[in-house]
Amino acid sequence: MTTLPPLVPMLVALIGGYLLGSIPVAVLVAGRRGVDPREVGDRNPGFWNVRERLGRRASVPVFAGDMAKGVLAGLLGLLAAGGHTTGPGVVAGPSAPAAYLAVGAAMIGHAWPVFAGFRGGRSVLTFTGGIAVICPPAFLLALAVMGVTFLLTRSFAIGARAGVFAIPLLQLPFAPIGHVAATGALMCLIGLRFGQAALAARRT
């Protein structure tokens, strides 16, 4: 069996992840109904804005598509580097850097998509889909946190935030601290995008 040079999986993860993330799901879905989500509402081409503008049914494929970008990017990085995982399916060994790179690249692609004029969203769902590959147990526990929070608050938005913010803590029992730090770094990209959106809102 021929072993690929270490640089090849990383390039596959980087380029493939970015191109996957650049698929403008919200723009494509909303565009079929004559709406550009980058020009209405909070101008974020993502699930929430499409839901607010076009309703729950129209937003379902956006939710699924944006999450799928993270899942596919994570799988691309994982498999390109040999598919190394632990018993619970957590990425391990040389597959971990490639998987993280692919998910990060997908998040960057979602935020600055080459196929949509570099005007993208905040990458929350793409991040979440990537975590489903990087650390499946943490992803499932995050869903549980989201569900419990939703039952207590009756707010899907609050439940979703609680689930996402809990991910690094939920990952700790299953992954090395370096992986948890890498997850935090990915979340910093989400924070950057929210910060940019807040600044843009002040200027308008």
Side-chain angles (χ1 to χ4, degrees), residues 67-94:
M67 274 201 72
K69 293 193 294 189
V71 171
L72 292 173
L75 288 173
L76 177 66
L78 172 66
L79 297 176
H84 303 280
T85 61
T86 64
V90 180
V91 296

Side-chain angles (χ1 to χ4, degrees), residues 37-178:
R38 298 168 298 177
E39 303 295 341
V40 297
D42 64 4
R43 299 185 179 181
N44 176 48
F47 165 73
W48 289 109
N49 198 24
V50 173
R51 188 175 185 270
E52 290 294 318
R53 299 299 112 193
L54 298 175
R56 184 176 300 176
R57 177 176 288 185
S59 69
V60 168
V62 179
F63 186 97
D66 284 350
M67 274 201 72
K69 293 193 294 189
V71 171
L72 292 173
L75 288 173
L76 177 66
L78 172 66
L79 297 176
H84 303 280
T85 61
T86 64
V90 180
V91 296
S95 294
Y100 270 102
L101 179 61
V103 173
M107 292 174 65
I108 291 170
H110 181 86
W112 297 281
V114 69
F115 302 132
F118 300 100
R119 297 172 61 195
R122 295 167 191 168
S123 304
V124 178
L125 288 173
T126 302
F127 164 76
T128 307
I131 291 297
V133 175
I134 287 171
C135 189
F139 172 76
L140 294 174
L141 289 172
L143 288 180
V145 169
M146 182 182 73
V148 170
T149 306
F150 169 73
L151 291 175
L152 293 174
T153 64
R154 295 297 175 183
S155 169
F156 180 76
I158 294 174
R161 291 189 185 102
V164 170
F165 283 124
I167 285 173
L169 289 176
L170 299 173
Q171 190 181 6
L172 272 173
F174 306 101
I177 190 67

